[in-house]
């Protein structure tokens, strides 16, 4: 079963008719910005649509929903659609998006920033201090390769434990 792509305007109309909007991004991405009323159900998690006549899946840009369309179609108990262009297209259409600027950056963005800085420091250190510091860049490269091959990222696990990524007790 293939899923039909719909524009933000079409999605808004279907939502008004009772369709459920499901954000397939990770919880940290959803916390930083989301479409009002969207249910957060990262890929592979179970969710309950209640009696919604249809479901509209979205991600940030539409690439993740496109790449996982077969899995999303199989998980859909009713008529299902993909929001073309994701939350970015929704925002560009002038539709409301809730943004929490105080929420931490998404973990994968933190990994990219940290890994990039460590590689840069390793190269600069190897050129200016001691050639042995190139090992830092090699270590980070090996870690990223391991993460890509296995799906387990030690740097992401470590960053998730940092104080800025912990929710304050309410």
């Amino acid at each position: 079963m293939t899923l039909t792509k719909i524009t933000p305007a079409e999605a808004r109309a279907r939502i008004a008719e009772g369709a459920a909007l499901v954000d397939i991004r990770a919880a940290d991405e959803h916390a930083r910005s989301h479409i009002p009323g969207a249910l957060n159900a990262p890929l592979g998690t179970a969710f309950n649509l209640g009696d919604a006549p249809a479901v509209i899946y979205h991600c940030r840009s539409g690439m993740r929903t496109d790449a996982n369309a077969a899995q999303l179609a199989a998980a859909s108990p009713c008529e299902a659609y993909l929001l073309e262009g994701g939350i970015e297209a929704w925002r560009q259409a002038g539709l409301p998006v809730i943004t929490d600027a105080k929420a931490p950056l998404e973990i994968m963005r933190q990994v990219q920033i940290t890994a990039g800085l460590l590689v840069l420091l390793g190269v600069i250190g190897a050129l200016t201090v001691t050639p042995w510091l190139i090992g830092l860049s090699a270590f980070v490269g090996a870690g990223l390769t391991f993460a890509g091959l296995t799906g387990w990222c030690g740097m992401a696990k470590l960053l998730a434990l940092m104080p800025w990524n912990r929710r304050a007790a309410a």
Side-chain angles (χ1 to χ4, degrees), residues 7 153 157:
T7 67
C153 181
K157 300 287 185 192

Side-chain angles (χ1 to χ4, degrees), residues 26-29 31-32 100-119 140 144 153-167:
D28 59 338
E29 295 174 278
R32 191 149 176 91
D100 182 359
K102 292 182 181 181
L105 286 176
E106 297 87 355
I107 291 293
M108 290 318 298
R109 284 190 58 199
Q110 292 182 44
V111 167
Q112 293 165 339
I113 291 167
T114 304
L117 285 172
L118 288 173
V119 168
V140 172
L144 291 173
C153 181
M155 188 181 295
K157 300 287 185 192
L158 182 63
L159 286 168
L161 297 174
M162 294 294 112
W164 59 85
N165 286 319
R166 295 187 189 158
R167 290 275 179 196

